[in-house]
Amino acid sequence: MRLLVVEDDERLLQLLQRGLGEEGHLVDACTTSSDALGQAQTIAYDVVLLDWMLPDGDGLSLLRAWRSRGVDTPVLMLTARGTVGERVLGLRTGADDYLVKPFDFSELLARIEVLARRRGGEVIQLRAGDVSLDTRQRALVRGDREVALTAREFALCALLFRRVGEVLTRSELLAAVWGPNFDGEPNVLDVYVGYLRQKLAQLGDDVPTIRAQRGVGFRLLPGGAGR
């Protein structure tokens, strides 16, 4: 699963990133509301872990902003606030579950799995030409052909499929797929675009193509429009 952790406590954030990563999850992290607001709108996360208290606001305000913008990703609130009234407030604001700190890591994993299963029945298919992107199976589909994607490939592909024909800048794609604080090699984007081109080609002829816009970024074109 791809998870977003919004947490002000850097020590806890590092523990969550390491522990969840060891469980096989792809984990993005934000420490402020301003970073997390756009992150959850851009990337289709399976579950968000959200701290109540953040340095530039509070988790409830961020949650309200997400819900008002149509972000329906399941949200698990993580907080030291444990009164009944506070739990009710969090749930009524739009949280799907609530876990009081300190918590047992195994319980956190179980709650994440439950939230992901609840959403597992929702199948969203994004289309470009006659190729669809199945967001539940994380696969490219054309007729009876299906090609599975890795978590990173899926994140990049979903952005392109949601904005077919639009040029997405390199910085926009890197921030959305690898996180706003990504400081690795920029050419990793070109590598993953190459992976997606190969997988699209496995679906046959005249499939959507990813065209490079020199010096700017990439865009997805339906049909066989070339590169």
Side-chain angles (χ1 to χ4, degrees), residues 17-221:
Q17 283 184 288
R18 183 171 67 249
L20 293 169
E22 289 173 353
E23 292 293 324
H25 301 301
L26 180 61
V27 183
D28 295 333
C30 293
T31 57
T32 64
S33 295
S34 55
D35 283 343
L37 178 62
Q39 188 86 346
Q41 291 178 248
T42 305
I43 299 174
Y45 289 104
D46 295 291
V47 177
V48 174
L49 310 184
L50 176 62
D51 190 8
W52 189 302
M53 297 303 297
L54 298 169
D56 58 344
D58 64 89
L60 290 185
S61 296
L62 176 59
L63 181 54
R64 289 190 191 98
W66 280 336
R67 296 310 191 216
S68 69
R69 289 165 170 77
V71 176
D72 61 356
T73 307
V75 172
L76 172 58
M77 295 290 297
L78 303 178
T79 176
R81 298 170 179 258
T83 69
V84 173
E86 288 165 331
R87 293 199 300 271
V88 170
L89 176 59
L91 293 169
R92 285 181 172 170
T93 300
D96 298 271
D97 200 357
Y98 201 104
L99 192 56
V100 177
K101 302 176 185 177
F103 51 80
D104 185 85
F105 186 68
S106 61
E107 182 180 1
L108 174 67
L109 288 176
R111 290 178 181 270
I112 290 172
E113 290 168 4
V114 168
L115 290 177
R117 281 202 304 270
R118 287 179 189 168
R119 203 183 192 203
E122 301 175 17
V123 182
I124 301 172
Q125 290 194 338
L126 304 173
R127 300 192 67 85
D130 62 352
V131 173
S132 62
L133 178 64
D134 188 320
T135 60
R136 185 177 66 179
Q137 299 296 331
R138 290 187 171 178
L140 290 164
V141 181
R142 188 190 202 191
D144 59 356
R145 297 185 186 183
E146 183 174 307
V147 179
L149 302 175
T150 67
R152 295 275 188 208
E153 290 169 351
F154 173 78
L156 178 58
C157 196
L159 283 172
L160 293 167
F161 266 70
R162 283 191 173 93
R163 296 168 63 180
V164 175
E166 294 184 41
V167 177
L168 304 182
T169 67
R170 297 182 67 89
S171 59
E172 181 180 2
L173 292 168
L174 284 168
V177 178
W178 284 270
N181 301 315
F182 175 74
D183 60 359
E185 290 294 329
N187 66 357
V188 69
L189 176 59
D190 302 271
V191 172
Y192 273 82
V193 166
Y195 292 157
L196 287 182
R197 284 173 171 161
Q198 292 171 13
K199 292 197 170 182
L200 283 165
Q202 293 177 35
L203 297 173
D205 298 327
D206 296 324
V207 292
T209 57
I210 304 173
R211 177 179 291 174
Q213 191 79 15
R214 188 177 299 277
V216 181
F218 297 93
R219 62 174 170 161
L220 180 69
L221 298 175

